[in-house]
Amino acid sequence: MWRTGLLISAAVHLVLLGWGLITFSTSPLDASDIETLPVEFVEVTDLTELDLGKESADTAETPSPNDPTEKTAETPPQTDQAGEDDPAPPPPPPPPPQESASPADAPEAEAEAPAAEAPPEAIAETPSEEPPPVTEPSPPQAAVAPPSPRLRPDRPAPPTPPAPETPEASDFNAEKIAALIDRTNTGAAQAPSEAQASLGVATGRPDARMTESEIDALRSQIQNCWVIPTGWTNPREVSVTIRFGLNRDGTVAGMPEVVEFPASQYGQVSADNAIRAVLQCGPYALPAAKYDQWSVVQLRFTPPG
Amino acid sequence: MDGVTETALVSPVSHLSLISLFLEADIVVKAVIIGLLLASVWSWAIIIDKAILYSKMRKQMDRFEKTFWSGQSLEELYRSLSGRTPQGMASVFVAAMREWKRSFEAGARSQFGLQSRIDKVLDVTISRETGRLESRLLFLATVGSAGPFVGLFGTVWGIMNSFQSIAASNNTSLAVVAPGIAEALLATALGLLAAIPAVVAYNKLSAEAGKIGGRLEGFADEFSAILSRQADERGE
């Protein structure tokens, strides 16, 4: 008699277990699928450089009376700020060489423009050494280069118009004043308009290339300290983006900040480890002249290989 | 890779399934889980068994009471029932009738002795019947009270292990701890799974057994009264 009860009970348990195996295993999989987020490579953008770019863009506007030309010239600088798209890069590079060759005034204007906001050292160096870096994008000379290339992409419009007008010194000053005045306006206007970011990258590239190499060095230095959590299958599962400020002596200022980390089970660990790596690997040897560029660094950590 | 610490961790489970949870559990946790599963199977076996037994018993008693009060003579009823092994109320009736008949066949005339003998036979039969009804119910009570504790023990043990794995890996991420904790909680879940039905069924079944036992006793008293009246009539 009790055998029937035992049989029924065992059968029901088996059925329930089987059902549990099916349902229990599938539900978490769905959740993990939803959570994985594709993440793009994020470049470092410097606020000071953006400001410089605006100044130049304004000067370009004032000299050139034609609206269409101006707009074309302006659009690149705006994109500079948020610039993160790849398609644009090809067009911007051409302008820089032209600038370096033609306008003698351009370097001066650049030198003065950064002077307002950049450290004194940078100003002293920029006028003397600028011409060479313009032609050569080599990283070692980057100390001087960053400000100049920055301006170049924005410049494309200004150089061409001013070239004929170079003789007039007075006009040039007026433009600069106008540029200073406009800068505030454009700055306010540009901030919200990040939608045009795609073009910005294009202009940003020549500038960024210099900084990028140093940023790469910084990244590799930090990445050596980064303990990647084990067990991941897709690099995305552990890739994190960290933003942190740096002091002039290369030490980390404040607490690094996680910009984004994947929603995988390793994401949080990976982000924590990355922050730890940033804090432990300092201080970093970076060119003091370009402090404006690396005062705030945003790095994306991806597992090597 | 630089600085990657290889530690004897519970390797992170890519997807948590019941089987992987079980397979990666510690041996103690495994034992607890298996024990609780067996307890659950066995307690459900008892529950089903008893539920069937009680419903049968109730039907049987209803049938017997109907025939008993139908006016049929006791001798006739006794003859029809004594052939097969009687159960429940019938067994009480048969036992008492047997004692009654034996007493008269032996020619015993002591009224008092007969009555006390019949009462004793009735008591013994009733206690045998109720013992049969309540057998193995205690297992349900045990599972109901001890199951959660056993499960909790498995959980505590599993969580202890996963904390040890944290200490070993210097990694405080949930990914390291989560599988261990999930395993551990599985033990508590099974403990509750076994205990809850056991407790509910124990309360229900023991109440039912008590009711059936009460009915048997009521019938025994009634029958004892009938027999004693008959003895009085015969004695005179």
Side-chain angles (χ1 to χ4, degrees), chain B residues 7 12 25 63 66 68 78 95-96 137 140 155 172 193 207 213 229:
Chain B
T7 48
R63 233 183 303 139
K66 209 192 269 176
F68 183 81
Y78 173 68
L137 272 190
L140 290 186
T155 296
T172 58
L193 204 68
R229 197 167 56 237

Side-chain angles (χ1 to χ4, degrees), chain A:
Chain A
M1 167 99 181
W2 59 269
R3 255 168 216 282
T4 57
L6 185 60
L7 279 181
I8 294 175
S9 151
V12 170
H13 273 82
L14 281 181
V15 168
L16 279 181
L17 263 185
W19 177 75
L21 285 183
I22 296 169
T23 54
F24 193 78
S25 60
T26 51
S27 55
L29 280 181
D30 293 344
S32 67
D33 283 346
I34 296 170
E35 283 176 2
T36 52
L37 294 175
V39 179
E40 300 273 330
F41 189 90
V42 178
E43 290 286 343
V44 182
T45 55
D46 297 340
L47 293 176
T48 51
E49 284 188 349
L50 292 177
D51 288 344
L52 290 177
K54 290 173 191 172
E55 285 184 2
S56 64
D58 293 341
T59 55
E61 288 180 1
T62 47
S64 63
N66 295 335
D67 293 339
T69 54
E70 280 185 3
K71 287 185 178 179
T72 53
E74 285 181 1
T75 45
Q78 289 179 353
T79 55
D80 250 352
Q81 286 184 341
E84 292 178 0
D85 289 351
D86 295 340
Q98 294 178 353
E99 287 186 7
S100 61
S102 62
D105 295 347
E108 291 180 359
E110 291 174 358
E112 290 178 0
E117 297 175 357
E121 295 178 358
I123 304 170
E125 292 178 0
T126 45
S128 62
E129 296 180 358
E130 271 193 4
V134 174
T135 53
E136 300 173 359
S138 61
Q141 298 177 350
V144 185
S148 64
R150 252 288 160 160
L151 296 178
R152 267 158 227 155
D154 300 342
R155 288 263 162 138
T160 49
E165 298 174 357
T166 43
E168 299 176 357
S170 61
D171 290 344
F172 188 77
N173 291 336
E175 287 177 3
K176 277 205 286 182
I177 294 168
L180 288 175
I181 296 170
D182 289 347
R183 179 183 61 174
T184 55
N185 296 336
T186 54
Q190 283 181 346
S193 67
E194 291 181 356
Q196 303 176 348
S198 58
L199 287 181
V201 172
T203 55
R205 279 292 166 183
D207 301 342
R209 201 196 308 158
M210 312 291 285
T211 57
E212 222 179 61
S213 61
E214 294 189 348
I215 294 300
D216 282 342
L218 180 66
R219 181 188 292 117
S220 70
Q221 184 182 352
I222 295 176
Q223 197 138 19
N224 284 341
C225 305
W226 181 38
V227 179
I228 305 171
T230 55
W232 54 272
T233 53
N234 189 335
R236 277 189 201 152
E237 292 177 23
V238 290
S239 299
V240 294
T241 304
I242 305 286
R243 184 192 302 147
F244 57 96
L246 289 169
N247 296 320
R248 279 185 191 279
D249 57 358
T251 55
V252 178
M255 193 66 189
E257 178 185 357
V258 179
V259 178
E260 65 179 340
F261 62 92
S264 73
Q265 51 184 328
Y266 313 103
Q268 186 61 54
V269 202
S270 185
D272 289 345
N273 288 354
I275 288 180
R276 214 168 291 139
V278 169
L279 291 177
Q280 285 178 351
C281 274
Y284 305 97
L286 291 167
K290 299 201 305 178
Y291 174 69
D292 287 338
Q293 295 187 351
W294 48 263
S295 62
V296 175
V297 182
Q298 182 165 320
L299 290 184
R300 173 149 184 82
F301 288 69
T302 52

Side-chain angles (χ1 to χ4, degrees), chain B residues 132-197:
Chain B
R132 199 163 65 89
L133 285 177
E134 288 173 354
S135 72
R136 296 206 289 266
L137 272 190
L138 270 186
F139 181 82
L140 290 186
T142 308
V143 169
S145 58
F149 289 119
V150 176
L152 201 61
F153 168 68
T155 296
V156 169
W157 191 271
I159 287 184
M160 239 168 61
N161 279 343
S162 59
F163 275 117
Q164 278 169 354
S165 74
I166 295 181
S169 68
N170 293 327
N171 196 341
T172 58
S173 81
L174 257 190
V176 174
V177 201
I181 291 183
E183 285 159 24
L185 289 180
L186 185 62
T188 298
L190 280 179
L192 293 177
L193 204 68
I196 292 172

